[in-house]
Amino acid sequence: MNLSFYPVDITYEVKDGKPIIKLFGRTTDGKQVCVLDDSFEPYFYVQGTVSEKKLESVQKDEFKVVRVEKCKKNVNEKEEDLFKVIVNIPKGVPVLKEIIVDMTGVKKVYEYDILFTRRYLLDKKIVPLTKTKVVGEKIAANCKVDCIKAKSIKKESDEIIEPRIVALDIETYNPDNSLNAKKNPIIILGLYGDNFSRVVTWKKFKTSNKYIEFVSSEADMLQRFAELITEYQPDIITGYFTDGFDFPYIVERAKINKVELDVGLDYSTIDIRGRTRKEASITGIAHVDIFKFIIRVIARSLKTDQYSLNAVANELLGATKHDVDIEHLFDVWDKGGKNIEQYCEYNLQDCKLTYDLTIKLLPNLIEFVRIIGLPIFDVNRMSFSTFVEWYLIKKAQEFNEIILSKPGHNEERERMHDRIQGAFVYEPKPGLYEKIVVFDYRSLYPSIIASLNISKGLVNCKCCKKASRINTDRGEFWFCTKQKGFFSEIISELITHRAKIKKELKQKQNPLLAAQVEALKVLANSFYGYLGFAPARWYCIECAESTTAWARHYIHKAIDSAKKEGFDVLYSDTDSVFVQLGKKSKKDALDWVKKINDDLPGLMELEFEGFYPAGLFVATKASESGAKKKYALLDEKKHITIKGFEAVRRNWSIIAKEVQQEVLRLVLNEKNTENAKKFVRETIEDLRANKIPVEKVVIRTELSKTVEGYSTVSPHVAAAKRMEKDGKKVSGGTIVSYVVTKGKGKIRDKVKLPHEVKQKDYDGEYYIDHQILPGVERIFDVLDVHIDELTKNTKQKTLEHF
DNA sequence: TGACACTGCTTACCT
DNA sequence: ACAGGTAAGCAGTGTCAT
């Protein structure tokens, strides 16, 4: 029989000494299937002078070499003769590799650490979630879905699955404020999918909500959960932090209640792996923990600095969680009755938000699946470095390159000491400026790697005398001009491919294309960092050093040229140049940038970023010199871009940020220094009189480690200690909120938690001296306004000034 | 003993 | 577990004059 299907999940099993790949997915007519392939063999590569016969005879326990093939592959971009050693079962690869690496004549072994299922997808060029053609026979097997034994299997087209998705969320009984799965039961379990809402709970109350379903115990609820999943037949189960919380909790409670959760398509149960960083997987269904994707990949493009479901849903969906007192759910539960209902509604809303977030971010996730070629479960849990690494691994096949091995522990430690000189930052002169034009190099680091052929295998070749050379602290480097680099060529493709899609996107908006453009940008921008990342397979310190050195070269070139041309250069950071037009016109600026571009190699390009009628640079706190990475620009639509100022830092109080923002607005937009002064003075008076509400004086700071890990007790650590006293768990990643109150001693001695503080308690003087004034002082310096004019509120002082 | 300068640790930003 | 460059607060320490 022939069939087309979209693979969702992949595993393998060993039967009769032979590995069988199992691809779970959905056919084009909507049925779930499992496609079996027993034709794929595990292998690795050996480099050295050793006889094939000797290699063929290697065996240990049930593992043995099946056969050996001679082949030619590029090792770090140079062709070499290698042996491909084929092994009977996947687990034999690391075992037999250990034996072979010690044999005389063997120089190195490669590709022994690529997971069998991933190897299968890459070698067979099968892309998960993408239409795949199978010829095969239906066979009987212990499986919830039809099993097809494949004779042939290959990618059919780029068509993508429309997955069935269900979102999961649980609420637990929690009287002691600790999330203890051994002690406290799950009391509400919700699911939300396409035309599907269900909340299961085990205490009855009167309700007209049709989606609420009552069972008689926690055990029955868990059982019902498994049934509902089986009935709904999802391709994807999604949740918010379900790797770390919901699934481990469900599994623990199932164990305690002796419930068999055979939700896997092969009747297996939910598998929880890892202790500190848990991962929950279900055979045949892709578990997406959308929180992980958000925090690792999406986070830096979001405005919010909190990644709670509420904050993220608010920004991405414009929707929020239901407002209930979740801390007292246990109390309501104990009392029973109708009050439980609001928590069921709350639970379903969480499921819905998670579902909607997943729908929204799915195009982005799928794009990475398509680019990298691994299952969505894997891609969901990857970070920038792994994206780059797996993309390189996939591309290695096309280039016939050997996949380099991961560094050993010692090598990784040594690499950690390597430091690369980074970007150049131009010191601005503090001041309020007019008519500013900003230029920047488009994708500076990727375009340098592409245009200067920067690649690990081409460093300081013996053959090229004419290659452009760059001087660095580490020495002089050049890259072979006679061949295209593996690394540089891949980036080059990425950049041109992205530019092409971006052009298409301009013609017609399309969320899939937008996601593709975004994914390619994320990937290209991660390449440079990867080069200097200690655990990387293609680590290349010379490449990284050269990339930044060339970047400094080209930014200086732009700065010098702009000055020569008569522009007043105000600032520059890494890839940008800020110039003041002065008597020159916008056209002069555009002409100049054109001239620069005529001189740039390859894909490099300096772009016009924007025109700003006004901009402000300030001095540093410590000296009179200009502060880098701190400025504000007013654009022609009166919008202000603020960089680096306290107003955009999360560990400053709202009142301090608001005041600074308003001062910047009054200064840049309205050019009204008097109003700015007045505004600050009024706020200071309000703080002195404790008129500013407590929530505006709360300071929020993230803990980077547990309380014990700190050598000095700073205010946020003092606050964390108070939280622990309250019975709250705090650790790295916890955001602590605190208020500085009146009293004696160090600031940390005056720290209290927001709920402990009444309106009159906070220390207005602290907020004036340590929050408001530091934020505006350097701005007023630029306007020649002395700080006394802000703090002393006598009218005479103001009059005196004029 | 107190004012002050300086350092180290820490957080959070910019590109 | 992508990179380096930068500002700034607070606690702690050292210095100096008293």
Side-chain angles (χ1 to χ4, degrees):
Chain A
M1 66 185 286
N2 287 350
L3 79 103
S4 296
F5 85 121
Y6 308 98
V8 171
D9 187 37
I10 179 166
T11 61
Y12 80 92
E13 64 175 5
V14 176
K15 214 174 166 185
D16 306 325
K18 215 174 166 191
I20 305 170
I21 287 284
K22 294 162 98 174
L23 280 164
F24 292 91
R26 191 174 293 278
T27 63
T28 40
D29 47 11
K31 274 174 73 182
Q32 282 183 297
V33 286
C34 175
V35 174
L36 308 176
D37 186 351
D38 64 359
S39 69
F40 192 66
E41 300 170 296
Y43 65 88
F44 62 99
Y45 290 99
V46 175
Q47 183 182 20
T49 43
V50 58
S51 83
E52 278 177 76
K53 277 231 165 107
K54 250 175 116 181
L55 288 174
E56 269 167 3
S57 66
V58 176
Q59 62 174 77
K60 192 189 178 184
D61 305 331
E62 71 265 48
F63 309 127
K64 61 173 194 248
V65 173
V66 175
R67 65 178 188 284
V68 175
E69 292 168 4
K70 274 187 179 167
C71 60
K72 283 190 191 300
K73 297 264 297 181
N74 301 327
V75 178
N76 198 20
E77 305 181 50
K78 270 170 212 69
E79 197 180 72
E80 304 270 358
D81 290 309
L82 299 183
F83 297 105
K84 183 175 179 179
V85 176
I86 295 116
V87 170
N88 62 337
I89 46 181
K91 285 213 168 98
V93 170
V95 177
L96 300 175
K97 157 246 168 190
E98 276 304 321
I99 296 169
I100 288 173
V101 80
D102 287 335
M103 287 165 66
T104 45
V106 170
K107 222 170 103 191
K108 262 192 139 171
V109 286
Y110 292 104
E111 303 199 9
Y112 48 80
D113 58 355
I114 311 293
L115 278 179
F116 186 59
T117 50
R118 292 181 172 185
R119 168 112 268 172
Y120 177 85
L121 292 172
L122 292 179
D123 282 19
K124 291 268 186 177
K125 298 185 171 47
I126 292 167
V127 182
L129 309 184
T130 305
K131 198 169 178 184
T132 304
K133 194 172 188 67
V134 177
V135 181
E137 292 304 322
K138 201 165 152 178
I139 56 161
N142 183 32
C143 199
K144 288 184 190 173
V145 299
D146 284 351
C147 288
I148 315 290
K149 191 176 173 208
K151 279 199 199 97
S152 83
I153 176 164
K154 68 174 194 195
K155 183 175 154 186
E156 186 175 336
S157 75
D158 283 329
E159 203 180 301
I160 291 285
I161 190 174
E162 279 179 35
R164 261 178 95 67
I165 304 173
V166 69
L168 161 76
D169 184 40
I170 60 169
E171 311 301 331
T172 64
Y173 183 74
N174 190 17
D176 43 6
N177 226 333
S178 77
L179 301 166
N180 187 343
K182 289 209 162 61
K183 235 168 69 190
N184 299 323
I186 301 167
I187 52 185
I188 299 169
L189 185 151
L191 295 168
Y192 185 93
D194 181 20
N195 237 324
F196 175 68
S197 302
R198 193 64 56 96
V199 175
V200 187
T201 184
W202 45 284
K203 254 193 188 177
K204 280 200 176 117
F205 51 84
K206 269 198 182 157
T207 177
S208 54
N209 266 327
K210 285 200 179 115
Y211 59 79
I212 298 178
E213 183 180 323
F214 299 102
V215 291
S216 57
S217 67
E218 187 192 22
D220 287 354
M221 182 179 69
L222 292 166
Q223 196 64 60
R224 187 69 188 126
F225 160 65
E227 284 168 20
L228 286 168
I229 293 299
T230 304
E231 280 166 25
Y232 187 83
Q233 298 184 358
D235 300 301
I236 292 172
I237 298 184
T238 182
Y240 207 81
F241 199 51
T242 26
D243 259 346
F245 179 67
D246 301 66
F247 273 122
Y249 210 103
I250 286 172
V251 167
E252 183 69 36
R253 295 309 300 173
K255 212 163 86 188
I256 290 166
N257 282 287
K258 298 195 170 57
V259 174
E260 182 91 0
L261 292 177
D262 53 353
V263 286
L265 296 190
D266 58 353
Y267 296 100
S268 60
T269 55
I270 302 161
D271 184 28
I272 310 287
R273 261 177 229 175
R275 273 190 202 164
T276 44
R277 277 184 301 246
K278 294 185 185 125
E279 288 182 357
S281 62
I282 301 169
T283 305
I285 303 170
H287 169 214
V288 167
D289 183 344
I290 201 68
F291 170 75
K292 273 201 177 151
F293 185 62
I294 288 168
I295 202 133
R296 290 193 182 156
V297 182
I298 306 293
R300 55 179 64 186
S301 53
L302 296 181
K303 274 186 241 138
T304 178
D305 45 34
Q306 269 187 313
Y307 304 104
S308 61
L309 176 58
N310 198 44
V312 174
N314 196 8
E315 179 168 343
L316 289 176
L317 307 170
T320 54
K321 285 166 73 117
H322 283 182
D323 192 16
V324 298
D325 184 5
I326 196 71
E327 293 202 351
H328 288 100
L329 169 57
F330 76 93
D331 213 11
V332 173
W333 179 261
D334 282 340
K335 287 187 183 115
K338 184 83 175 160
N339 279 340
I340 298 172
E341 185 170 34
Q342 56 176 316
Y343 291 94
C344 293
E345 288 164 353
Y346 164 88
N347 174 267
L348 190 76
Q349 171 72 359
D350 275 12
C351 292
K352 184 179 185 309
L353 292 178
T354 307
Y355 179 87
D356 291 344
L357 271 180
T358 305
I359 294 286
K360 172 123 190 172
L361 296 176
L362 200 62
N364 302 63
L365 254 172
I366 287 176
E367 237 7 90
F368 281 110
V369 169
R370 283 163 59 143
I371 292 171
I372 287 157
L374 293 183
I376 191 168
F377 178 91
D378 303 43
V379 168
N380 177 208
R381 286 155 183 81
M382 284 180 160
S383 53
F384 294 108
S385 66
T386 26
F387 281 154
V388 173
E389 187 139 293
W390 274 93
Y391 187 64
L392 288 168
I393 287 173
K394 187 182 160 199
K395 284 281 168 180
Q397 282 187 321
E398 273 176 41
F399 286 73
N400 200 34
E401 281 285 328
I402 271 284
I403 301 167
L404 298 180
S405 304
K406 286 183 193 160
H409 187 67
N410 283 340
E411 194 182 352
E412 194 181 320
R413 279 232 324 253
E414 272 169 38
R415 287 177 178 182
M416 299 270 218
H417 298 296
D418 292 344
R419 298 239 68 89
I420 308 153
Q421 191 187 343
F424 169 74
V425 188
Y426 186 102
E427 186 190 308
K429 220 167 91 197
L432 181 58
Y433 298 95
E434 287 187 338
K435 292 200 276 181
I436 298 167
V437 176
V438 178
F439 300 97
D440 53 24
Y441 281 104
R442 181 168 50 92
S443 304
L444 179 64
Y445 288 178
S447 71
I448 283 176
I449 294 171
S451 308
L452 288 136
N453 209 26
I454 291 177
S455 200
K456 187 177 169 78
L458 308 184
V459 183
N460 291 11
C461 64
K462 298 256 160 44
C463 55
C464 294
K465 293 245 159 64
K466 279 195 198 154
S468 314
R469 297 176 176 223
I470 188 78
N471 234 331
T472 77
D473 289 351
R474 209 173 287 278
E476 193 182 45
F477 297 119
W478 67 94
F479 297 87
C480 190
T481 52
K482 290 185 180 144
Q483 70 183 96
K484 279 184 175 175
F486 172 56
F487 213 86
S488 42
E489 189 59 16
I490 286 173
I491 289 214
S492 196
E493 276 176 30
L494 274 177
I495 296 173
T496 41
H497 188 200
R498 176 168 184 264
K500 199 182 127 212
I501 300 166
K502 209 172 165 184
K503 216 171 162 187
E504 278 177 45
L505 187 64
K506 260 190 187 162
Q507 279 160 5
K508 60 168 192 205
Q509 281 297 315
N510 171 341
L512 282 172
L513 283 183
Q516 208 172 345
V517 170
E518 181 62 26
L520 291 169
K521 180 176 155 194
V522 166
L523 193 60
N525 286 343
S526 308
F527 265 65
Y528 156 71
Y530 175 85
L531 285 170
F533 177 51
R537 290 173 192 264
W538 278 275
Y539 178 85
C540 179
I541 192 77
E542 298 87 352
C543 297
E545 192 82 78
S546 303
T547 306
T548 52
W550 277 114
R552 293 190 298 273
H553 168 87
Y554 280 111
I555 200 66
H556 275 118
K557 198 173 155 171
I559 291 169
D560 293 346
S561 162
K563 280 184 177 168
K564 227 182 201 168
E565 195 75 20
F567 292 105
D568 204 358
V569 173
L570 297 176
Y571 181 60
S572 162
D573 185 350
T574 312
D575 59 358
S576 62
V577 191
F578 294 49
V579 303
Q580 198 174 17
L581 279 187
K583 282 179 190 153
K584 290 185 169 277
S585 67
K586 271 192 215 176
K587 190 181 170 295
D588 292 334
L590 291 170
D591 288 345
W592 169 74
V593 80
K594 199 159 174 268
K595 218 167 73 185
I596 289 275
N597 281 326
D598 288 342
D599 261 1
L600 293 173
L603 296 167
M604 288 192 70
E605 193 187 341
L606 187 67
E607 283 183 324
F608 170 83
E609 193 271 335
F611 171 76
Y612 301 91
L616 180 90
F617 291 90
V618 295
T620 63
K621 198 90 211 273
S623 68
E624 291 310 307
S625 57
K628 298 167 176 176
K629 300 187 188 286
K630 229 179 158 180
Y631 59 86
L633 294 173
L634 174 79
D635 70 19
E636 286 173 297
K637 288 176 183 161
K638 307 277 180 196
H639 175 262
I640 296 176
T641 304
I642 301 176
K643 296 287 180 185
F645 275 107
E646 288 79 356
V648 297
R649 292 179 65 92
R650 74 167 167 199
N651 57 347
W652 283 76
S653 62
I654 290 176
I655 189 68
K657 298 187 348 173
E658 278 181 0
V659 169
Q660 190 180 55
Q661 199 166 4
E662 181 61 9
V663 167
L664 285 171
R665 192 186 71 81
L666 289 166
V667 169
L668 282 170
N669 194 354
E670 302 195 356
K671 316 232 177 290
N672 194 330
T673 309
E674 278 314 302
N675 276 358
K677 278 155 71 176
K678 197 170 143 227
F679 183 74
V680 174
R681 278 200 297 259
E682 282 168 6
T683 311
I684 286 174
E685 276 174 41
D686 285 349
L687 275 167
R688 284 217 171 100
N690 281 56
K691 278 186 189 160
I692 303 289
V694 174
E695 60 264 26
K696 290 203 176 186
V697 298
V698 170
I699 298 168
R700 290 167 44 237
T701 306
E702 185 176 329
L703 231 49
S704 65
K705 50 197 167 193
T706 53
V707 169
E708 303 82 59
Y710 287 89
S711 52
T712 51
V713 181
S714 44
H716 78 291
V717 178
K721 283 185 169 176
R722 286 185 95 88
M723 282 170 79
E724 283 187 331
K725 250 190 194 162
D726 272 7
K728 293 241 164 62
K729 269 197 183 165
V730 298
S731 58
T734 307
I735 291 183
V736 297
S737 298
Y738 64 90
V739 173
V740 177
T741 59
K742 290 168 185 159
K744 278 184 185 166
K746 298 195 176 351
I747 293 156
R748 63 151 176 249
D749 302 322
K750 310 199 289 176
V751 160
K752 285 200 174 141
L753 301 179
H755 70 86
E756 301 173 317
V757 177
K758 293 208 178 71
Q759 186 70 32
K760 288 279 155 211
D761 296 340
Y762 68 77
D763 183 359
E765 293 301 324
Y766 168 83
Y767 284 95
I768 294 163
D769 292 338
H770 295 248
Q771 293 271 318
I772 303 296
L773 293 177
V776 297
E777 199 179 342
R778 293 282 141 163
I779 299 171
F780 281 112
D781 273 357
V782 167
L783 308 164
D784 281 327
V785 173
H786 193 264
I787 188 167
D788 286 353
E789 295 179 51
L790 304 171
T791 46
K792 296 189 182 144
N793 283 298
T794 58
K795 275 184 184 152
Q796 264 160 343
K797 188 95 191 171
T798 327
L799 289 172
E800 201 178 289
H801 191 65
F802 286 88

